[in-house]
Amino acid sequence: MKFYKNDSQTAVAAKESAQRLAFAPFAFHTARTLRDLGILKALQDFDEAGADSASLAQITGVSEYGVGVLLDMGLSAGLVTWEEKRYRLTKLGYYVDFDAMTIANMNFVADVCYQGLSELTESIRESKPAGLKHLGDWATVYEGLSQLQPEAKRSWFEFDHYYSDRSFPVLLETVFSQKTETLCDIGANTGKWTLQCCKHNSDVEVTMVDLPQQLKVALENTSKAGFQSRVQAKACDLLESSNRLPKGLDVYWMSQFLDCFSKQEIVSILSRVRQAMRPDSRVFILELFPDCQEFESSSYAMNATSLYFTTIANGNSRFYMSHEFLPLIEAAGLKVKKQSHGIGLGHSLLECGI
């Protein structure tokens, strides 16, 4: 890992950072509210000229008090500057309002994670997702994805797909560089990867594996696309160690799937993949490793998202460091034959075999 090796702050700087950390929720909600009320967009329209509170209030329909108190905190958060009684949008403010990645991340944190994160201490102590109760009454979030409130469901899937979808073109070329007639999509979710495979290769037959409620959505999506003759589903809770996977397929595929499980569970799942394989079957694992990132902000986001797994998802999984994850593959009786990093927005692809 090339980040986090040195404590470079002075004592004064560290104390200042500590205060910003203490009030970090205020900055987050300020940024989100300025975005959602259209105040950042209004400032963007004023460009370099900037605008005062009265003008922004008139345009947005927000009270002058509301505009002023939000933008003054926006000054402290770096979202705007202030000169000659006019506010101007900064680059940071622009990204909060217009950048697709920032919007996906912020909505996910606000709609899915924010309330539940208050239960982090309890989640760590009990190894259970204590914050999940703020979304619904399930043992894990995966049981309830199809039942989430509309806003939370939209933000969850937009967050998930924003990152995975951008990797598809490269991944499809890699997977289908060899003859692939049958593929097992383990953790199929809404069927997005299965759809991409069927569109990319007109002969491949795909078996989707997931929980029943997830497969219902995935089958609807693949049927609407006209692939019902080449797609089948196997309902399977892989937390149950007696559940087996389809045998003898060409490729076994797992995309951002194994990070949903504990180390022991990962070994159990991969051991069952090993049992299902032919000697020449290929296994592809697409994951996000914080210690394989080019930019520190990527590692920051992944380490933060690991706490979503802790408090919301299941209480015992995370985005693993690569040095923790790779030995689990070997423990399951598989070998990593090739590693590719920096795919899409920070993904790593592991090609494994016997």
Side-chain angles (χ1 to χ4, degrees):
M1 187 186 302
K2 62 181 181 180
F3 311 119
Y4 314 125
K5 293 183 178 180
N6 300 306
D7 181 4
S8 58
Q9 284 191 319
T10 65
V12 173
K15 187 169 183 177
E16 180 177 340
S17 295
Q19 308 323 306
R20 294 183 180 277
L21 182 62
F23 286 95
F26 290 84
F28 174 85
H29 280 298
T30 295
R32 181 167 173 258
T33 301
L34 283 167
R35 182 198 71 182
D36 291 350
L37 292 179
I39 298 171
L40 294 180
K41 173 62 170 63
L43 269 177
Q44 169 71 6
D45 293 340
F46 276 100
D47 200 21
E48 291 296 324
D52 57 23
S53 296
S55 299
L56 291 167
Q58 184 176 12
I59 291 170
T60 62
V62 178
S63 70
E64 190 171 345
Y65 164 80
V67 170
V69 74
L70 287 169
L71 284 177
D72 285 351
M73 183 59 205
L75 290 169
S76 295
L79 300 168
V80 294
T81 59
W82 190 83
E83 187 177 1
E84 297 178 352
K85 298 183 180 180
R86 287 176 173 267
Y87 297 98
R88 293 173 180 81
L89 195 66
T90 64
K91 295 181 181 68
L92 175 59
Y94 175 86
Y95 281 116
V96 166
D97 200 36
F98 292 99
D99 178 60
M101 179 190 294
T102 306
I103 291 169
N105 289 344
M106 186 168 282
N107 288 347
F108 174 71
V109 172
D111 299 332
V112 178
C113 304
Y114 204 94
Q115 285 183 292
L117 282 170
S118 65
E119 314 285 350
L120 177 58
T121 302
E122 182 181 351
S123 298
I124 293 291
R125 285 175 174 165
E126 298 185 2
S127 298
K128 293 181 180 179
L132 179 57
K133 60 178 175 281
H134 293 279
L135 297 177
D137 185 20
W138 311 291
T140 71
V141 76
Y142 309 108
E143 299 171 26
L145 282 179
S146 61
Q147 305 168 55
L148 289 173
Q149 292 298 311
E151 202 168 54
K153 182 190 293 187
R154 182 176 61 252
S155 294
W156 193 98
F157 282 108
E158 286 179 354
F159 175 79
D160 182 69
H161 292 160
Y162 181 84
Y163 292 95
S164 60
D165 290 5
R166 282 154 179 77
S167 304
F168 283 165
V170 172
L171 300 171
L172 289 166
E173 292 297 329
T174 300
V175 171
F176 289 96
S177 62
Q178 298 182 34
K179 187 176 181 180
T180 303
E181 296 179 345
T182 55
L183 183 146
C184 185
D185 185 359
I186 305 172
N189 206 334
T190 60
K192 274 214 165 189
W193 172 251
T194 292
L195 283 169
Q196 292 294 322
C197 289
C198 290
K199 291 176 182 177
H200 182 83
N201 186 292
S202 59
D203 298 318
V204 69
E205 297 182 359
V206 181
T207 300
M208 300 186 297
V209 176
D210 213 321
L211 297 172
Q213 53 269 45
Q214 293 300 101
L215 287 178
K216 181 181 178 181
V217 176
L219 284 171
E220 289 174 357
N221 291 335
T222 53
S223 295
K224 286 178 183 177
F227 297 127
Q228 58 268 30
S229 64
R230 292 199 281 139
V231 175
Q232 57 182 310
K234 177 179 174 59
C236 182
D237 181 359
L238 287 171
L239 285 173
E240 175 53 59
S241 60
S242 62
N243 286 337
R244 295 293 182 259
L245 291 163
K247 286 194 170 185
L249 305 188
D250 294 331
V251 166
Y252 292 84
W253 169 267
M254 288 160 279
S255 172
Q256 289 180 216
F257 175 70
L258 292 176
D259 51 53
C260 301
F261 299 93
S262 69
K263 290 182 179 181
Q264 294 81 0
E265 291 162 351
I266 290 172
V267 173
S268 173
I269 292 168
L270 289 178
S271 296
R272 281 173 276 164
V273 172
R274 170 68 178 83
Q275 292 166 8
M277 295 167 63
R278 304 191 312 258
D280 62 340
S281 295
R282 293 175 293 149
V283 178
F284 290 97
I285 300 170
L286 185 70
E287 276 299 339
L288 291 159
F289 300 125
D291 58 334
C292 294
Q293 301 304 308
E294 181 179 359
F295 301 106
E296 191 277 335
S297 59
S298 299
S299 295
Y300 184 103
M302 290 174 199
N303 288 330
T305 305
S306 286
L307 298 179
Y308 146 78
F309 290 110
T310 304
T311 57
I312 306 294
N314 54 28
N316 62 3
S317 68
R318 59 169 300 172
F319 285 136
Y320 293 91
M321 300 295 180
S322 63
H323 62 82
E324 295 180 287
F325 190 90
L326 294 175
L328 305 178
I329 297 173
E330 184 177 349
L334 295 170
K335 295 180 181 178
V336 178
K337 296 190 173 182
K338 185 178 180 181
Q339 299 184 43
S340 302
H341 303 288
I343 299 171
L345 294 170
H347 284 84
S348 296
L349 183 66
L350 308 178
E351 183 175 351
C352 308
I354 297 174

